[in-house]
Amino acid sequence: METPTSLLLVEGRSEENAIREFYKQWKIDLNFDISSEGSITKLKTSFKMHLKSSNILRKLWVIIDADTSYACAWQSIRDILERSGKYNPPLQLCPNGLILTPIDENDLVVGVWIMPNNQDVGMLEDFMMGIIPEDNMLLHEAETVITNLEKKNIQKYKNVHRAKAKLHTWLAWHDEPGDSVNVAIRKHLFSQDKELVIAFKAWLMELNK
């Protein structure tokens, strides 16, 4: 078996499991390795290391969360690319994600996706919320519950985790309650026709080649 020459760095297992499940649903073989780094700090350290080292990799993709600031998330990755001296990164990402060729063709081709959509604040759960069918009645009910909690000021979650609270409220009302995101993907609870997932798939397919 050939060793993959492409690597995807993600912050945690949730992202890794979701991507693996998407590939199963798409019925496409996954031709790259995924490394779940455990934190954004460790991911950035790994990113820098791979950019510096000479190894068998030809492509290096990264997925990070925007969290509370898309601009800060992108700037942190852009700084790493610029400081490596191997890339001329753009000032902004486009909604379809970044695929960046190196100055020297012998260096790595780099891909960047900032969850949820390369534009807004958020994380994986915001991405997943964005690909739930719009006519889903349970989703409307979950929004009502979350909004009522906030009106009474009795919610315990941070604002940045609002989508996570809403998503898992929504998932709790399915059979079986409490399924993880990757299990929900397996059960076809998310749309594959949304522009967001189409763009994400196209970005990932460039790593798969």
Side-chain angles (χ1 to χ4, degrees):
M1 182 178 177
E2 292 186 5
T3 303
T5 58
S6 301
L7 175 64
L8 172 63
L9 303 178
V10 297
E11 291 187 46
R13 291 288 184 186
S14 295
E15 290 87 352
E16 177 180 353
N17 292 338
I19 289 165
R20 292 189 184 280
E21 204 59 53
F22 272 132
Y23 266 78
K24 290 177 184 177
Q25 192 169 107
W26 297 333
K27 295 181 170 58
I28 299 172
D29 291 334
L30 194 151
N31 295 327
F32 53 85
D33 283 336
I34 304 178
S35 179
S36 176
E37 298 299 314
S39 72
I40 184 59
T41 301
K42 291 179 180 178
L43 183 149
K44 290 176 183 177
T45 299
S46 183
F47 187 41
K48 294 175 188 176
M49 179 193 71
H50 284 295
L51 290 180
K52 290 179 181 177
S53 64
S54 58
N55 49 38
I56 64 168
L57 290 180
R58 300 308 309 144
K59 295 180 181 179
L60 179 64
W61 264 220
V62 295
I63 297 175
I64 68 169
D65 293 335
D67 287 330
T68 58
S69 174
Y70 152 76
C72 290
W74 166 233
Q75 190 62 50
S76 68
I77 295 297
R78 189 174 184 275
D79 285 347
I80 293 172
L81 291 168
E82 280 196 321
R83 289 169 184 168
S84 74
K86 299 179 179 182
Y87 304 90
N88 292 315
L91 291 175
Q92 301 289 337
L93 290 183
C94 76
N96 293 333
L98 175 69
I99 297 175
L100 185 63
T101 55
I103 297 170
D104 183 334
E105 64 179 13
N106 292 314
D107 288 319
L108 298 173
V109 177
V110 168
V112 180
W113 186 283
I114 299 181
M115 285 289 176
N117 58 8
N118 301 301
Q119 298 179 93
D120 298 320
V121 299
M123 53 190 63
L124 172 66
E125 286 78 9
D126 294 270
F127 175 91
M128 302 310 301
M129 289 294 302
I131 62 173
I132 296 173
E134 294 176 3
D135 60 352
N136 188 283
M137 293 305 298
L138 283 180
L139 183 60
H140 295 304
E141 292 298 325
E143 174 62 30
T144 298
V145 169
I146 293 295
T147 300
N148 285 338
L149 287 176
E150 292 166 350
K151 285 179 178 178
K152 295 175 183 178
N153 198 29
I154 58 174
Q155 78 279 10
K156 301 297 183 182
Y157 53 84
K158 298 176 182 177
N159 190 56
V160 69
H161 293 147
R162 188 181 196 275
K164 182 178 289 190
K166 183 176 174 180
L167 179 66
H168 287 281
T169 299
W170 178 73
L171 287 173
W173 295 336
H174 287 79
D175 189 20
E176 294 179 355
D179 279 342
S180 61
V181 169
N182 59 298
V183 172
I185 295 171
R186 192 180 310 156
K187 292 181 176 180
H188 303 280
L189 297 183
F190 302 98
S191 171
Q192 292 295 321
D193 299 325
K194 295 271 191 174
E195 288 185 12
L196 179 57
V197 75
I198 291 171
F200 185 58
K201 180 180 179 180
W203 179 80
L204 279 175
M205 287 302 104
E206 289 300 314
L207 179 61
N208 215 54
K209 293 179 179 177

